[in-house]
Amino acid sequence: MEKEKIVGIHAVRILLKVRPFDVYEIYLSDEKSKKFSSIIDDAKKNKISIQKISNEKIYEITNVKSHQGILAIAKKKKEIHEKDLESLLKEKSKNQILLVLDEVCDPRNFGACLRICDAYNVSAVIIKDHNSVKINETVKKVAAGSAETTPIVKVKNISRVLDFLKKNGYWIYGATENAKNDINSIDFKAPVALT
C-alpha cells in the first residue's frame, strides 16, 4: 500500500474531515498545544494513533521547514487521470469551472493555485502528468487542505483535453498578467476552462 506524508495544521485537519479512514497515524511535536486540539479530537474519534515526534525529525522525513509541528501518514490518495475526466465532469455538474495548468513546476505556486481554486469553488485542476510538479508534501502544506477538496486531473495532452472540453460546451479562456480586466469582474458563463 502506497503511503503519503501530509504536514501543516490546515492540511491535516482537512485530511481528517475528508478521508479519516485513510489516515494511519499522526505525529505531533507538542500534544499539549491548543493549536492541535481539534486534530487530536478528530484523531481520537476515528481511533487514529497519535505519536510524539521532534520538529527536526518531521523536517528530516518531509523536507518541509514550515511543517507546524504536525505530520500525518495516510494511504496515498487515488489519482484522477484523463480517462476519468468525463465522469468527473458529470459528477461536478453544478459549478463547471476548470483550471488548466500546463507544466507548472513550482510546488509552492501549485499549492497556492489549489488554495485559490478551493476559495472560488473550482470543479477541478487539470495538469500534465509529465513535466509538471509532483503532488508532494510542500504542495499539500501550501494548499492548506485544498489538495483534498479540489480534484487534480493528470492528463497526457493538454491540447487534446481542451478540444474535448470545447466539444462538450466549455468556453476556453486564457489568463495573462497583462489582462485589462480583473478576473473578479468577469461574469463567466459556465462551463469554463481557464488556461
Side-chain angles (χ1 to χ4, degrees):
M1 188 63 61
E2 229 183 319
K3 294 180 181 179
E4 64 181 344
K5 300 175 281 278
I6 294 120
V7 295
I9 292 168
H10 296 299
V12 173
R13 188 174 47 77
I14 300 299
L15 171 70
L16 286 168
K17 298 257 183 276
V18 175
R19 51 187 188 109
F21 44 83
D22 283 346
V23 181
Y24 297 115
E25 52 211 348
I26 293 174
Y27 294 88
L28 300 173
S29 62
D30 181 6
E31 290 180 57
K32 291 178 176 67
S33 174
K34 286 183 181 177
K35 66 183 180 181
F36 299 129
S37 58
S38 71
I39 289 169
I40 291 168
D41 291 346
D42 285 344
K44 284 179 180 172
K45 259 187 254 170
N46 290 286
K47 297 178 175 59
I48 298 165
S49 163
I50 300 170
Q51 310 282 334
K52 178 127 175 72
I53 193 171
S54 70
N55 284 320
E56 295 76 19
K57 189 69 175 171
I58 296 175
Y59 175 61
E60 187 183 309
I61 292 168
T62 65
N63 203 31
V64 177
K65 284 183 181 170
S66 60
H67 52 67
Q68 298 178 308
I70 185 166
L71 164 65
I73 307 294
K75 178 180 169 187
K76 189 167 170 57
K77 187 177 178 185
K78 187 178 182 284
E79 291 187 342
I80 306 169
H81 295 280
E82 194 169 333
K83 65 180 173 44
D84 308 312
L85 184 58
E86 192 169 357
S87 59
L88 177 72
L89 296 178
K90 284 179 185 163
E91 249 177 61
K92 300 273 185 182
S93 59
K94 281 190 181 165
N95 180 20
Q96 293 179 318
I97 299 174
L98 306 173
L99 177 63
V100 182
L101 300 172
D102 192 7
E103 296 183 17
V104 62
C105 297
D106 184 287
R108 285 179 174 74
N109 285 347
F110 187 53
C113 287
L114 290 172
R115 234 181 24 241
I116 291 165
C117 287
D118 189 55
Y120 280 90
N121 200 22
V122 169
S123 296
V125 176
I126 297 171
I127 61 170
K128 281 169 95 171
D129 68 358
H130 62 284
N131 296 333
S132 287
V133 68
K134 300 285 180 247
I135 303 162
N136 62 17
E137 294 89 350
T138 301
V139 168
K140 290 180 182 235
K141 163 62 174 72
V142 174
S146 302
E148 295 297 331
T149 57
T150 304
I152 302 163
V153 183
K154 294 182 172 184
V155 302
K156 296 240 179 274
N157 186 304
I158 294 283
S159 297
R160 182 174 61 223
V161 168
L162 291 176
D163 286 341
F164 166 79
L165 292 172
K166 283 182 207 171
K167 286 176 187 161
N168 283 276
Y170 277 75
W171 285 83
I172 312 298
Y173 289 88
T176 173
E177 71 275 7
N178 300 320
K180 291 180 181 135
N181 297 324
D182 182 286
I183 195 162
N184 294 309
S185 66
I186 299 169
D187 183 20
F188 293 110
K189 305 287 185 225
V192 169
L194 304 171
T195 64

